[in-house]
Amino acid sequence: MSRLTQGAVKDGDTIDAASLNDRFNQFTQTDLNQFNTRDAAIDLPQFKGGTSRFLAPQMHTGNIGANDWLHGTDVTVTGQVTGAAPHIVTDAGGTATPLALSATGMLLEANVHALRVYWDLSVRPRWEGSRPWTGGDNVFVFSNGGGGTQNVFSGYGCWAFWLQWDITSNALANFVNVPSQSDFNAVVTASRGGNPLSQCQSTSVVQNVIETGGAPNNGALSGGVLTQPVGWTAVDGAWHYLRTGTNVTIFGLRVVFSGPFGAYNVGATNYLIRNDAVAGDARLDYNGGGMTALKMRVK
């Protein structure tokens, strides 16, 4: 929001030529600085009411997913194993719902323009069956206080969502991952694919289930476990990208996703890797959401 230093008009202030001129004159050449013309470039006057799109010519917005808020046509997908192409966000009929950036695309000039992308999607992560995880990375093992053990799900079940773009043509037939984003299929350990966090720059995650141990006492869980479904929730993302090197024209953006995943560490590198062992039991229902892409000048 643009910032001016003069105080607001108050009850009792005189409205005459002199006072109005003072108001206009407070925004001088020196006020055309970084804060007012770059950091605060997106302001209320740039938006238009009603159902029309934004007035800003370099801003695009649209719906993604099924967009049936009564949940009569939710889309349901199954978890994926290493090597699988990600699920694409579609409508209820299976048609992809990318954000098209006009017939001529959106030009990002190197070291001049930044792209900001914001999106959200209504989702319901869940499992088929009763607690399909059994051991290994899937559980933390505690004493049950009676000589046995109690397994509690470790959280190795999140879904990951990320961005792809088409920089080829307005046919939107050549989507690839955005820079610094991979598809979680490079093998990390034991034939399981994943990404180092440095290759998760457009990634957002949502947990698949919440499970806690009951009646903890001196490190033992004598009260069993409480498994709580996540239910319908929202996943959203924000990706900011400053183009360097050469110019690029972007014709479209879309959200893709896969899962389940979990955390993994090798030395100083942290990963998000696939949980292939229970992928067949993982489900994700999703409905509608939206996406906005904005080009901003930084120089």
Side-chain angles (χ1 to χ4, degrees), residues 135-154:
D137 293 333
N138 299 308
V139 295
F140 296 122
V141 181
F142 298 88
S143 166
N144 65 5
T149 59
Q150 176 63 66
N151 291 351
V152 178
F153 184 46
S154 66

Side-chain angles (χ1 to χ4, degrees), residues 270-288:
N270 295 312
Y271 292 84
L272 196 61
I273 67 170
R274 295 185 181 273
N275 191 351
D276 293 346
V278 294
D281 297 303
R283 299 289 186 274
L284 184 90
D285 305 321
Y286 69 88
N287 203 281

Side-chain angles (χ1 to χ4, degrees), residues 90-101:
T90 71
D91 62 19
T95 300
T97 55
L99 177 64
L101 304 184

Side-chain angles (χ1 to χ4, degrees), residues 171-193:
L172 303 184
N174 295 281
F175 280 94
V176 295
N177 297 323
V178 297
S180 299
Q181 177 66 58
S182 298
D183 60 5
F184 300 95
N185 282 328
V187 172
V188 177
T189 181
S191 301
R192 294 162 59 190

